[in-house]
């Protein structure tokens, strides 16, 4: 273990160096550019054996990764926002062809209006594309998650692509203390990439991506769905093993002072860090506040969420995205649906916040708990969908 | 045809064994049938190069016929047959069915 100062982007590039993928195909986009830029320096310096393909767009970056992965290579790329949106078509193809491509991705608002700062609209837009989605709270998690993702995605029961997100600028460019694992240990943890079949295996030729009409498409989609059903168990096992070997254990969700909490918020990404401070402060004042951090958004940990929130008196789900759906945002709607089957159904509200990189303050998070306190006392939800930090 | 496999038996990831096009006889798509005139043919093998369905049968460097199990009647062979030769004529498939 080596303790260093790294930004989220640097930490993820470092993980990529240690993974030493066969192919990286990439196109730059703020705030994710650094990941592949730093990595390209590793290539130039001969620190990795990777074939680096500088392509002309993100659509091509993902296409090249798909080709490489189908040929039997361990392929990676990195992107953000509009870049991820431009990959949209290819995201589904990577998942449908069951290619375990691993992609660090920096959360950034989608246009329009144009904006380069953090929110989760890009990642949420890809939530049904068949990709595993891992959210990281800080640089350390980003680094650990990229390494674990290789194992998760390539697992024979899974074989799905995965994206590992950090919040744009807040984490991607924020310098933090990170414990790096030794190169050799990362290498032994991820192991060698073994494909069942690959297109470059000319002794066993096959066609990939053939037209799949009424009589086979459904079966193939069913297989893809099954792979996602298999994923939670694999994520847990990999997180457990990672914990045993390197001292940092990971699960689908993380609970912070939730065991005896009466008021809970549900968050993704860097806001979890800010929330911890608020919770500690409220606890000192005798308020039983807690937090549920969703680390894995896909596959959605519905059971774990329902169980962990079963004994709270009020819940607020924080969405750093507006689904513009006419009702609620993605995390809220899915958490709420998960609670439907739970033993209890605590009153629940949605807070949409932080769009386009708008800061979220300790006071604002405290105000969410204040509202939850009221709801818990009266049992009455005045407004289901709320906005936090927008000028009226 | 044998029973189609369920999702548990099917190879995963939209993967097909190679060479399965052979099992798919595209000849029944045909509405025009290429008919070759042996007298005119100069065995230049243009048709063999261009036929998208490998339906031109060649033996000992000679064009000896058309495999109608696969010929889908696109007419490319007739087009690429040298203008001065025109050994292939496209004939309405109904003429053969009605007989
Ligand atoms: S009609 Fe088309 S498919 Fe048939 S033999 Fe000629 S080129 Fe081939
Ligand atoms: S293109 Fe015409 S001349 Fe040449 S081999 Fe075919 S049928 Fe014969």
């Amino acid at each position: 273990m080596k303790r260093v100062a790294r930004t989220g982007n640097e930490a993820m590039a470092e993980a990529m160096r240690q993974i030493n993928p066969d192919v990286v195909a990439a196109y730059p986009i703020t705030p994710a550019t650094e990941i592949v830029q730093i990595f390209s320096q590793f290539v130039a310096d001969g620190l990795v054996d990777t074939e680096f393909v500088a392509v002309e767009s993100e659509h091509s970056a993902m296409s090249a990764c798909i080709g490489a992965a189908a040929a039997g290579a361990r392929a990676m790329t990195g992107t953000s926002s509009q870049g991820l949106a431009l990959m949209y078509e290819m995201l589904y193809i990577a998942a449908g062809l069951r290619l375990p491509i691993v992609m660090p991705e920096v959360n950034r608002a989608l246009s329009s209006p144009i904006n380069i700062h953090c929110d989760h609209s890009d990642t949420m837009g890809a939530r049904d594309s068949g990709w595993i989605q891992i959210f990281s709270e800080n640089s350390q998690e980003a680094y650990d998650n990229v390494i674990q993702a290789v194992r998760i995605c390539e697992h024979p029961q899974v074989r799905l692509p995965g994206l590992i997100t950090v919040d744009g600028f807040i984490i991607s460019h924020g310098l933090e203390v990170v414990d790096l694992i030794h190169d050799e240990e990362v290498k032994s943890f991820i192991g060698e990439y073994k494909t069942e079949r690959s297109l470059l295996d000319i002794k066993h030729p096959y066609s990939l991506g053939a037209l799949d009409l009424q009589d086979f498409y459904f079966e193939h989609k069913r297989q893809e769905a099954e792979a996602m059903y298999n994923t939670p168990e694999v994520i847990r096992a990999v997180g457990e093993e990672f914990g045993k070997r390197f001292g940092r254990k990971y699960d689908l969700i993380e609970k912070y002072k939730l065991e005896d909490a009466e008021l809970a918020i549900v968050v993704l990404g860097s806001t979890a860090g800010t929330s911890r401070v608020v919770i500690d402060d409220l606890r000192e004042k005798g308020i039983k506040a807690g937090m549920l951090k969703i680390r894995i958004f896909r596959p959605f940990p519905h059971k774990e969420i329902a169980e962990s929130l079963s004994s709270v008196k009020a819940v607020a789900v924080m969405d750093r995205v507006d689904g513009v759906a006419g009702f609620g945002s993605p995390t809220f709607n899915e958490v709420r649906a998960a609670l439907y089957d739970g033993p209890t159904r605590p009153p629940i509200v949605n807070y949409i916040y932080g769009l386009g990189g708008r800061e979220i303050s300790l006071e604002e998070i405290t105000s969410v708990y204040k509202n939850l306190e009221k709801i818990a006392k009266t049992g009455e939800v005045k407004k289901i969908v709320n906005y936090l930090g927008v000028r009226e | 045809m044998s029973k189609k496999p369920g999702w548990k038996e099917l190879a995963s990831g939209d993967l097909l064994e190679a060479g399965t096009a052979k099992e798919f006889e595209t000849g029944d798509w045909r509405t025009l049938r290429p008919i070759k005139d042996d007298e005119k043919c100069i065995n230049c093998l243009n048709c063999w190069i261009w036929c998208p369905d490998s339906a031109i049968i060649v033996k000992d460097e000679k064009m000896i016929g058309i495999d109608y199990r696969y010929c889908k009647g696109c007419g490319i062979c007739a087009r690429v047959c040298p203008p001065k030769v025109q050994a292939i004529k496209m004939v309405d498939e109904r003429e053969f069915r009605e007989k």
Side-chain angles (χ1 to χ4, degrees), chain A residues 159 197 205-207 209-210 223, chain B residues 4 7 10 12 14 16-18:
Chain A
R159 292 203 295 120
R197 308 276 304 255
Y206 65 97
S207 308
Q223 291 180 332
Chain B
K4 285 175 190 159
W7 66 268
L10 203 59
S12 75
D14 191 10
L16 260 187
E17 294 311 316

Side-chain angles (χ1 to χ4, degrees), chain B residues 34 51-53 56 66 71-77 90:
Chain B
C51 171
D53 285 287
I56 303 290
I66 294 163
C71 164
K72 61 177 183 267
C74 67
I76 289 175
C77 52
M90 300 303 291

Side-chain angles (χ1 to χ4, degrees), chain A residues 35 46 54 91 124 131 137 140 213:
Chain A
I35 304 169
L91 292 178
M124 287 298 164
W131 281 61
E137 180 179 332
Q140 181 72 63
L213 298 178

Side-chain angles (χ1 to χ4, degrees), chain A residues 161-182:
Chain A
L163 53 86
I164 298 90
T165 80
V166 297
D167 283 349
F169 290 106
I170 304 164
I171 302 302
S172 70
H173 287 63
L175 202 59
E176 288 184 297
V177 172
V178 178
D179 282 331
L180 299 180
I181 304 162
H182 286 300

Side-chain angles (χ1 to χ4, degrees), chain A residues 256-258 261-267 271-272 274-280 282-283 287-292 314-316 318 349 351 362-376 388:
Chain A
Y256 187 68
K257 303 197 175 168
L258 196 60
E262 289 175 354
L263 316 174
I265 63 168
V266 179
V267 293
T271 307
T274 322
S275 304
R276 289 174 206 272
V277 179
V278 174
I279 292 164
D280 291 350
L282 291 173
R283 285 272 172 177
I287 298 164
K288 286 189 169 174
M291 170 181 75
L292 190 160
V315 186
M318 311 284 287
V349 287
Y351 275 92
L362 300 172
E363 293 72 28
E364 281 165 339
I365 299 174
T366 309
S367 78
V368 172
Y369 280 108
K370 286 269 166 318
N371 185 24
L372 287 182
E373 228 176 354
K374 249 184 259 160
I375 293 170
L388 194 63

Side-chain angles (χ1 to χ4, degrees), chain A residues 96-98 159 197 205-210 212 215-216 219-220 222-223 226, chain B residues 1 3-20:
Chain A
L97 296 182
R98 309 290 303 283
R159 292 203 295 120
R197 308 276 304 255
Y206 65 97
S207 308
L208 191 68
D212 209 24
D215 51 352
F216 279 102
E219 280 70 25
H220 282 130
R222 180 65 187 82
Q223 291 180 332
E226 186 69 11
Chain B
M1 197 183 164
K3 202 174 149 278
K4 285 175 190 159
W7 66 268
K8 288 179 190 163
E9 309 154 72
L10 203 59
S12 75
D14 191 10
L15 179 156
L16 260 187
E17 294 311 316
T20 49

Side-chain angles (χ1 to χ4, degrees), chain A residues 52-191:
Chain A
F52 190 89
V53 193
V55 287
E56 74 283 14
S57 77
E58 287 83 357
H59 189 281
S60 306
M62 188 45 63
S63 302
C65 284
I66 289 170
R74 193 175 250 161
M76 295 182 78
T77 182
T79 196
S80 176
S81 186
Q82 306 304 124
L84 185 68
L86 191 53
M87 283 179 184
Y88 185 75
E89 171 183 38
M90 304 318 292
L91 292 178
Y92 281 75
I93 292 173
L97 296 182
R98 309 290 303 283
L99 303 171
I101 298 162
V102 171
M103 171 164 70
E105 192 249 326
V106 180
N107 295 311
R108 169 188 144 182
L110 277 180
S111 294
S112 190
I114 190 162
N115 181 300
I116 56 166
H117 290 277
C118 174
D119 73 33
H120 296 165
S121 50
D122 51 356
T123 310
M124 287 298 164
R127 70 185 184 278
D128 296 337
S129 62
W131 281 61
I132 294 163
Q133 293 197 339
I134 309 179
F135 281 77
S136 322
E137 180 179 332
N138 50 41
S139 299
Q140 181 72 63
E141 286 192 9
Y143 170 79
D144 293 347
N145 284 339
V146 171
I147 293 167
Q148 288 173 72
V150 174
R151 279 279 299 277
I152 296 164
C153 296
E154 290 175 5
H155 191 282
Q157 300 295 320
V158 177
R159 292 203 295 120
L160 286 172
L163 53 86
I164 298 90
T165 80
V166 297
D167 283 349
F169 290 106
I170 304 164
I171 302 302
S172 70
H173 287 63
L175 202 59
E176 288 184 297
V177 172
V178 178
D179 282 331
L180 299 180
I181 304 162
H182 286 300
D183 290 3
E184 283 309 310
E185 284 184 276
V186 173
K187 200 172 160 193
S188 96
F189 182 78
I190 61 171

Side-chain angles (χ1 to χ4, degrees), chain A residues 241-257:
Chain A
E241 189 188 324
F242 192 89
K244 273 200 197 112
R245 285 175 73 162
F246 310 121
R248 294 182 296 275
K249 196 177 150 219
Y250 288 89
D251 207 334
L252 306 173
I253 58 169
E254 190 199 319
K255 299 179 223 177
Y256 187 68
K257 303 197 175 168

